[in-house]
């Protein structure tokens, strides 16, 4: 599919999709995730000549394979809610919508993008710490899901009283840690007591019992970003199941959805170690309580290895004995490299990975 065949309702520029490229080989269930191999089959010089530089390339095959792997964990593509903010490209959204995924949106603009890409109303999830009551009511009226980030907003929905249920985001307050601490770990771990998101776990049952017009359909939590082992997801599944039982004991109604959020990390360089989706499935599936629907909201682990950025070196120079290659891509396209010091693998025009060490460096605007 190319921009010229996109639905007429989408007018924003879109990446060229390459549906026939080679998907990555699925790793063994017990192994770590591997870097995607599909970019090695591309003729980068030909793409540069046809489309110019600063082009995002999406592997439809890799994206579909990732979604299929997540679907095997939760039992249905609609239970995989892609966070639009991870990559709001219409090309990515259209592919996920066509394959039956849901879209997790943090703002009205993201809801609009998701609708234009083809997500039906009942596959929209509205989840924002600054949610708008009118927007939340519209999502609920369309059969979608609203995740409430605070007791105050839950009370506002209850006072409105027109819709039957909503999901509540809880702050689990679990001792969730990364296997290997990185410089950015403190910024991306969301389950600590100092975290700002959600309702503290010890307050959730009280909040549910205070509702009069609506009830909680589910519980939502998020362990962090780039999580590097499966144990936090297992602990969270147990925690939310116990919390749901506590709510049922207080209210007589058992929340049926346990949303484990996202956060599974992916490798950006050969040195990175993260569980594959299949390894997470092998560890997590035996621990899931069959009474509940389990949902996930993967970002990096759904789309990260299915997208590549094509740029070009436009100048070279030497500065104090060090050789610099200046590219026409930089922080404006890859903000997290600068903000969180995340390194990415870079491949040359022959498809081979460039070395991560040496007396030459790549820079950009």
């Amino acid at each position: 599919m190319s921009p010229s065949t996109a639905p007429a309702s989408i007018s924003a520029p879109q990446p060229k999709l390459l549906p026939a490229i080679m998907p990555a080989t699925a790793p063994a269930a017990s192994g770590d995730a591997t870097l995607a191999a599909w970019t090695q089959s591309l003729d980068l010089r030909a793409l540069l000549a046809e489309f110019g530089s600063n082009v995002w390339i999406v592997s439809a095959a890799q994206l579909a394979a990732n979604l299929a792997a997540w679907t095997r964990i939760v039992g249905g593509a609609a239970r995989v809610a892609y966070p639009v903010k991870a990559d709001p490209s219409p090309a990515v959204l259209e592919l996920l919508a066509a394959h039956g995924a849901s879209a997790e949106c943090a703002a009205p603009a993201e809801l609009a993008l998701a609708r234009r890409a083809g997500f039906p109303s009942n596959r929209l999830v509205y989840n924002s710490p600054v949610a708008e009551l009118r927007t939340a009511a519209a999502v609920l009226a369309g059969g979608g899901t609203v995740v409430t980030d605070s007791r105050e907003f839950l009370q506002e929905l209850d006072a409105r009283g027109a819709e039957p249920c909503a999901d509540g985001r809880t702050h689990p307050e679990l001792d969730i840690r990364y296997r290997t601490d990185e410089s950015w770990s403190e910024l991306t771990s969301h389950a600590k007591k100092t975290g700002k998101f959600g309702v503290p776990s010890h307050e959730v049952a009280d909040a549910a019992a205070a509702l009069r017009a609506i009830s909680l359909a589910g519980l939502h939590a998020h362990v962090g970003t780039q999580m590097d082992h499966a144990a936090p997801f297992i602990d969270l599944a147990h925690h939310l199941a116990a919390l749901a039982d506590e709510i049922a004991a207080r209210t007589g109604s058992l929340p049926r959805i346990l949303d484990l959020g996202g956060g599974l990390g992916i490798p950006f360089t050969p040195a990175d170690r993260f569980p594959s989706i299949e390894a997470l499935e092998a560890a997590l599936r035996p621990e899931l309580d069959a009474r509940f629907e389990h949902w996930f909201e993967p970002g990096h682990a759904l789309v990260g290895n299915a997208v590549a950025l094509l740029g070009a070196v436009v100048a070279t120079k030497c500065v104090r004995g060090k050789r610099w290659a200046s590219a026409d891509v930089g922080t404006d396209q890859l903000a997290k490299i600068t903000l969180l010091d995340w390194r990415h693998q870079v491949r040359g025009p022959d498809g081979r990975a460039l070395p991560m060490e040496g007396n030459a460096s790549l820079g950009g605007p």
Side-chain angles (χ1 to χ4, degrees):
M1 172 177 174
S2 69
S4 62
T5 59
S9 59
I10 299 177
S11 58
Q14 300 174 60
K16 179 78 171 181
L17 295 186
L18 305 174
I21 49 187
M22 178 178 64
T25 302
S30 59
D32 288 334
T34 56
L35 288 171
W38 60 269
T39 56
Q40 298 176 37
S41 67
L42 303 180
D43 186 336
L44 299 182
R45 287 192 172 92
L47 289 171
L48 191 67
E50 183 176 357
F51 299 108
S53 191
N54 271 316
V55 174
W56 292 99
I57 304 171
V58 180
S59 168
Q62 182 67 60
L63 189 60
N66 293 345
L67 178 59
W70 282 105
T71 299
R72 286 192 291 271
I73 298 179
V74 295
R79 299 177 186 178
V80 181
Y82 172 63
V84 173
K85 60 180 173 288
D87 185 341
S89 161
V92 170
L93 297 178
E94 287 171 10
L95 283 167
L96 292 174
H99 284 290
S102 296
E104 190 259 352
C105 307
E110 292 183 3
L111 286 165
L113 282 173
R115 290 189 180 103
R116 291 180 179 179
F119 288 94
S121 296
N122 64 348
R123 286 198 269 128
L124 295 178
V125 179
Y126 181 44
N127 177 11
S128 173
V130 290
E132 300 174 357
L133 184 60
R134 182 173 61 178
T135 300
V139 171
L140 287 172
T145 301
V146 170
V147 178
T148 57
D149 189 69
S150 68
R151 292 186 69 170
E152 291 78 7
F153 193 70
L154 189 59
Q155 290 165 358
E156 289 184 38
L157 283 175
D158 191 47
R160 187 180 182 279
E163 305 301 336
C165 56
D167 288 2
R169 178 167 182 171
T170 178
H171 188 152
E173 302 177 23
L174 300 173
D175 185 22
I176 290 176
R177 303 181 183 182
Y178 291 89
R179 181 176 58 188
T180 302
D181 280 332
E182 302 287 350
S183 58
W184 39 261
S185 297
E186 184 66 25
L187 299 174
T188 57
S189 179
H190 298 309
K192 296 182 178 180
K193 291 184 178 181
T194 55
K196 66 180 179 180
F197 297 109
V199 180
S201 290
H202 66 275
E203 298 181 14
V204 171
D206 288 341
L211 298 174
R212 294 294 176 262
I214 66 174
S215 62
L216 286 182
L219 297 170
H220 171 285
H222 180 60
V223 298
T225 297
Q226 282 291 91
M227 186 54 63
D228 57 2
H229 59 134
F233 298 100
I234 296 172
D235 292 344
L236 182 59
H238 293 166
H239 178 76
L240 293 184
L243 189 54
D245 284 333
E246 185 181 350
I247 292 171
R250 294 283 301 277
T251 68
S253 178
L254 181 71
R256 64 183 179 84
I257 298 170
L258 302 184
D259 188 331
L260 305 183
L264 180 65
I266 61 170
F268 285 95
T269 73
D272 295 337
R273 293 290 178 266
F274 293 95
S276 66
I277 307 171
E278 291 79 7
L280 177 65
E281 177 188 10
L284 182 61
R285 278 291 295 275
E287 305 291 335
L288 296 181
D289 191 324
R291 295 177 299 160
F292 303 100
E293 275 188 25
H294 292 87
W295 292 15
F296 266 105
E297 298 174 1
H300 281 157
L302 179 55
V303 76
N305 67 351
V307 180
L309 176 61
L310 176 63
V313 171
V314 295
T316 60
K317 64 179 181 179
C318 289
V319 179
R320 299 182 180 88
K322 184 172 184 175
R323 185 171 182 262
W324 282 92
S326 297
D328 55 4
V329 296
T331 299
D332 48 348
Q333 290 90 1
L334 301 167
K336 284 184 178 179
I337 289 182
T338 299
L339 297 176
L340 295 176
D341 196 31
W342 284 0
R343 305 303 173 93
H344 287 48
Q345 185 180 73
V346 181
R347 293 187 176 275
D350 58 0
R352 291 186 298 179
L354 301 182
M356 302 291 286
E357 299 177 348
N359 197 40
S361 289
L362 178 67

